[in-house]
């Protein structure tokens, strides 16, 4: 099986712009979670989707949003980018998506805001 | 909400020695505790996990122990090898597929 695929791998954006990141889960996985990784804050949970519904949300401002499609692929969007949004954005998929099932991570998208 | 504390932040051991990383959590409802290894420039990968109905789990040179009463869990790596050098993260679940991570431990194995 192919692993979790994230595109693009690298992005450079200007402050104030918006960005969309994509995540394709492992085939058959219906849960997709998103995390932000920075040297200072570590790995922080953004949100999780299961069967196109957001089940859980972290403590990030409303500029961070996401969605999931019927084929379980997910996107996250960050609007009005700030310098502090520079980070590695990781998505993870799991099956069947319960509270105690293994999460498989993608390689991440490295976002740099200048 | 859940809070996970991880210690130490850096750990250096001689090849062949053991390494221990400790984590504490705050939410008594947490019932799943995975450990991830992240090598430089790579994705986090699960190395071992434990559920709250078990006190200890072992997989070759890696073991995890869980003390639910004290709300702490630990990773033990024996007979360390250079390829064990990486950043290790503990985590605890908070609801469906939400993981709260510790700050990470940078483990260096000295030959």
């Amino acid at each position: 099986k192919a692993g979790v695929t994230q595109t693009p791998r690298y992005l450079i954006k200007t402050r104030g712009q918006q960005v969309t990141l994509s995540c394709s889960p492992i085939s058959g996985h219906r849960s997709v979670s998103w995390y932000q990784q920075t040297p200072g804050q570590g790995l922080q949970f953004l949100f999780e989707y299961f069967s196109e519904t957001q089940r859980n949300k972290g403590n990030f401002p409303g500029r961070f949003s996401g969605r999931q499609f019927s084929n379980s692929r997910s996107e996250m969007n960050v609007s009005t980018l700030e310098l502090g949004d520079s980070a590695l954005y990781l998505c993870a998929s799991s099956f069947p998506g319960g509270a105690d099932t293994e999460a498989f991570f993608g390689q991440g998208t490295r976002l740099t805001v200048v | 909400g859940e809070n996970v504390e991880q210690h130490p932040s850096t750990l250096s051991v001689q090849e062949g020695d053991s390494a221990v990383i400790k984590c504490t959590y705050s939410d008594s409802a947490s019932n799943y505790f995975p450990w991830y290894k992240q090598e430089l420039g790579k994705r986090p990968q699960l190395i071992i996990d434990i559920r709250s109905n078990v006190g200890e789990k072992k997989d070759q040179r890696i073991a995890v122990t869980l003390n639910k009463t004290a709300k702490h869990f630990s990773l033990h790596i024996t007979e360390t090898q250079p390829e064990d050098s990486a950043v290790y993260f503990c985590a605890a679940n908070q609801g469906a597929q939400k993981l709260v991570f510790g700050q990470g431990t940078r483990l260096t194995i000295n030959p």
Side-chain angles (χ1 to χ4, degrees):
Chain A
K1 273 187 182 178
V4 179
T5 304
Q6 291 187 245
T7 56
R9 290 291 311 279
Y10 302 93
L11 265 178
I12 300 176
K13 289 286 187 179
T14 303
R15 215 168 19 165
Q17 287 186 315
Q18 75 163 13
V19 66
T20 299
L21 313 182
S22 179
C23 174
S24 293
I26 293 171
S27 178
H29 287 197
R30 294 164 63 190
S31 168
V32 174
S33 305
W34 288 89
Y35 292 84
Q36 182 195 65
Q37 185 173 26
T38 59
Q41 299 297 318
L43 278 152
Q44 292 191 292
F45 175 81
L46 282 154
F47 29 65
E48 185 256 353
Y49 288 87
F50 182 86
S51 292
E52 303 178 66
T53 300
Q54 187 182 87
R55 287 198 300 189
N56 223 328
K57 190 176 188 306
N59 298 321
F60 279 81
R63 301 184 297 106
F64 292 82
S65 63
R67 60 178 175 167
Q68 186 179 36
F69 302 95
S70 58
N71 62 357
S72 294
R73 189 178 71 85
S74 178
E75 289 182 346
M76 69 163 280
N77 184 277
V78 188
S79 62
T80 320
L81 284 165
E82 300 177 0
L83 295 178
D85 297 333
S86 294
L88 179 67
Y89 289 88
L90 292 159
C91 79
S93 74
S94 70
F95 175 84
D100 64 347
T101 52
E102 179 181 354
F104 295 83
F105 282 88
Q107 291 273 42
T109 293
R110 171 80 57 189
L111 172 64
T112 302
V113 182
V114 297
Chain B
E2 176 70 276
N3 184 45
V4 177
E5 297 285 337
Q6 181 172 348
H7 299 281
S9 56
T10 60
L11 180 59
S12 183
V13 301
Q14 289 298 120
E15 183 179 352
D17 287 351
S18 296
V20 180
I21 303 171
K22 298 183 179 183
C23 290
T24 60
Y25 63 99
S26 60
D27 189 349
S28 56
S30 294
N31 63 352
Y32 176 62
F33 307 92
W35 286 87
Y36 283 85
K37 174 183 180 183
Q38 188 175 29
E39 296 176 80
L40 191 63
K42 295 192 175 180
R43 72 187 78 193
Q45 291 200 294
L46 181 77
I47 55 170
I48 196 166
D49 57 13
I50 191 167
R51 291 167 178 80
S52 59
N53 58 346
V54 174
E56 184 174 357
K57 184 177 178 181
K58 192 172 181 181
D59 182 4
Q60 298 182 345
R61 298 186 296 109
I62 296 172
V64 58
T65 59
L66 171 65
N67 183 324
K68 283 177 57 179
T69 304
K71 293 186 192 156
H72 66 71
F73 55 114
S74 301
L75 177 72
H76 305 252
I77 305 175
T78 59
E79 301 171 17
T80 53
Q81 301 167 2
E83 54 265 38
D84 294 331
S85 293
V87 179
Y88 291 80
F89 293 95
C90 64
N93 69 328
Q94 185 179 37
Q97 281 304 311
K98 176 183 177 179
L99 293 175
V100 179
F101 285 86
Q103 289 286 54
T105 296
R106 183 173 301 278
L107 175 63
T108 302
I109 307 301
N110 302 307

